Each structure stands twice: as structure tokens, then as C-alpha cells.
Amino acid sequence: MRADLHVHTTASDGTESPEQVVALASAMGLGCLAIADHDTLEGIGPAVQEGRRRKLEVLPAIELGTEHRGQEIHMLGYLVDLSSRQLLSELAYFRRTRLERVTGMVNRLNGLGFPIVRERVLEIAGGGSVGRPHIARALVETGRVGSVEEAFELYIGDGRPGFVPRYKYSPAKAVRLIRSAGGVPVLAHPGLAPADELIPALIPEGLQGIEVYHPSHTPQVSDYYLSLCRRLRLLATGGSDYHGAANKKHNCLGAYTVSGRVVDEIKHLAGKNRG
Ligand code: AMP
Ligand code: ZN
Ligand code: FE
Ligand code: FE
């Protein structure tokens, strides 16, 4: 059984619904998917339901964006309790700050002469966790920006004139929030923003794994993090970071997977965390 443990849906910035992603995974013969949307659990319910119909296991997960010394560090949380009060209240806070930040970015972009409106950005986000990819699509719709990539490069990438930072946790705080909800914290794609000094420091906070297999990792990078996992006794996970076939980030669903043994380990750790 192969499991893809990092998948996004329209609940955040993926372009396919939870049902569509599960149907695709099932058609590909995958046995398990973790739905890990940015700052939201909304995609999980529909994915689990579709998974039941298709005999595909869906693991609830989340991906939290954090910041460490100016670098963006992502933290995955597997098998978080979907009814955790603390987690739900923090996610509601993230959603509010994301909405305020859209207002700020739209104002800046209006100031730069782009006729985009906040309502359209929210419509593109479809009620999900709203972020820069949705603003980028609204910019492309005006016909004055050629592509989502160009939007990031010129206007909304970090430090560009339309950019407004969003509220972010520290990695340690994200680890603690995930553990407070009984979940298994896993450092996402460390090859994208190397902060290796952070890893030993996060273990006492409750870090339990590293995402070793990811499209941004060369085989050498994966080997390096695999040996680090062995040395530090952390779980090695992996996933495709799929954002939909229509997304500019054209990661392929199922291109990075792990075995059922890793899924069992995650369940075992989550059981211990709650025990
Ligand atoms: P946000 O969380 O709203 O700041 O948006 C960050 C998201 O934007 C990331 O998770 C990526 O999916 C996307 N993103 C960041 N940089 C780029 C880029 N250069 N081109 C396309 N998408 C990007
Ligand atoms: Zn994303
Ligand atoms: Fe990420
Ligand atoms: Fe991701």
C-alpha cells in the first residue's frame, strides 16, 4: 500500500476539491492520502466521506506556516483531533488575520493601479483559507499580469510592492499546538528552507518526524534527512504536496509516497500522544 501524506485541496490553495483529489488517488491505486491544507481542516470531512465510498484511507492533517529567523518553515500535523478547541480557535484566528491581510494587499495593489477587488479574491478562494495564490489569480484575471508566477515575481512575492506579511507562529509554537490537539508534528520539506539547527531544538517541544520525501528534495537531500531521522529517532514521512493539476506548482499526485508502515507509525504515535 502506498500513501501520499501531503495533499492540498480547494479548502486552501489547491485547485481540486477534496472529492476530486480522493477520486484521482483512488484511480491511481493509492491506498492512503493525508489531506494537509494550509491552516484549515475544512477539506478533511468531505475527503473522508469520499474515501469511505472508494475504500481509500484519508488521514486528517494540517500544514501550518511558521517563521524562523525570516525563513518560512512549514509544520505538518498528522491525526490532529478535529474537535480540539485550542486548535479550532487558533485556526479561526489565523483565518481572521488572513482576511485582514487580503484587505491590506488589495489596497496596496489598488494603489499600484490594479483594479482588483477583495470580494473577487474571496470568491476565488471559495470560502477556504485565503492566500496569495488567490490574489495572484485575481491579478491574472485583470489581464494586466501574464501569470500567477509573474504576479509573485513582480508584485506579491516576499518584499515585492504588493506584499503584506501574514501573522505567523514560531515553529516551536506550531509543534506545541499540534501536540495539544493530539497530533503528530512533522517538519515539512526542510530542503526548501534549511534550518537544520532548529530540528534538535524542536524535539523537546514534541517534534516527531521529518518530511524526507518531497518534490523539492533531490535524492541526496532525501538521503541526508533520512539519516538525520535515524540519528534523532524521528519518523521519516513523505508526500507530493499536490496542489491540483491546474496549479502552477505542478506537483504530481502520488509522485512521492511512503509505505503503509509509516502510516501505522503515525497512528501509533498519535495513540501515544493521546494515551
Ligand atoms: P500565503 O500563505 O498566502 O503567504 O501564500 C503562500 C503560498 O503561495 C505558498 O504556499 C505557495 O503555494 C504559493 N507561492 C509562493 N511563492 C510562489 C510563487 N513564486 N509562484 C507560485 N506560487 C507561490
Ligand atoms: Zn499551498
Ligand atoms: Fe509547504
Ligand atoms: Fe504543502
Side-chain angles (χ1 to χ4, degrees), residues 38-54:
H38 302 284
D39 297 347
T40 179
L41 300 168
E42 301 284 320
I44 293 168
V48 168
Q49 277 206 339
E50 188 65 24
R52 279 202 196 107
R53 269 200 288 283
R54 295 182 183 268

Side-chain angles (χ1 to χ4, degrees), residues 72-263:
E72 174 134 358
I73 307 284
H74 291 179
M75 197 63 64
L76 293 159
Y78 291 104
L79 290 177
V80 286
D81 174 1
L82 302 179
S83 60
S84 158
R85 287 225 180 153
Q86 195 183 348
L87 179 60
L88 291 173
S89 104
E90 289 304 292
L91 295 180
Y93 181 69
F94 290 155
R95 182 171 318 136
R96 273 204 306 283
T97 58
R98 275 181 174 275
L99 286 167
E100 285 163 19
R101 182 245 206 159
V102 168
T103 309
M105 286 189 63
V106 166
N107 286 342
R108 280 182 169 243
L109 290 161
N110 289 159
L112 292 168
F114 294 105
I116 64 167
V117 289
R118 182 175 189 275
E119 284 61 38
R120 180 60 193 145
V121 174
L122 300 185
E123 202 173 87
I124 293 171
S129 188
V130 61
R132 282 183 286 165
H134 309 112
I135 298 176
R137 286 183 226 162
L139 281 169
V140 172
E141 275 181 4
T142 65
R144 301 192 192 182
V145 177
S147 66
V148 165
E149 277 305 318
E150 189 183 315
F152 272 92
E153 243 162 68
L154 299 179
Y155 308 112
I156 63 169
D158 291 27
R160 305 309 296 163
F163 175 69
V164 173
R166 64 185 174 80
Y167 169 75
K168 288 199 200 88
Y169 262 27
S170 69
K173 212 171 160 191
V175 166
R176 292 196 291 267
L177 178 64
I178 291 163
R179 285 297 292 265
S180 82
V184 177
V186 171
L187 179 65
H189 45 66
L192 265 180
D196 291 358
E197 79 285 355
L198 199 62
I199 297 172
L202 289 177
I203 294 173
E205 304 287 351
L207 184 73
Q208 294 180 300
I210 300 175
E211 187 177 49
V212 167
Y213 306 101
H214 184 271
S216 69
H217 291 177
T218 62
Q220 289 77 9
V221 168
S222 294
D223 280 349
Y224 167 73
Y225 285 109
L226 183 60
S227 61
L228 197 59
C229 280
R230 291 196 173 128
R231 199 158 75 233
L232 299 174
R233 297 178 168 278
L234 292 168
L235 185 61
T237 73
S240 66
D241 211 352
Y242 185 63
H243 277 73
N247 200 289
K248 271 284 167 190
K249 269 191 180 178
H250 26 229
N251 300 342
C252 293
L253 186 66
Y256 292 81
T257 56
V258 294
S259 71
R261 187 195 61 79
V262 177
V263 176

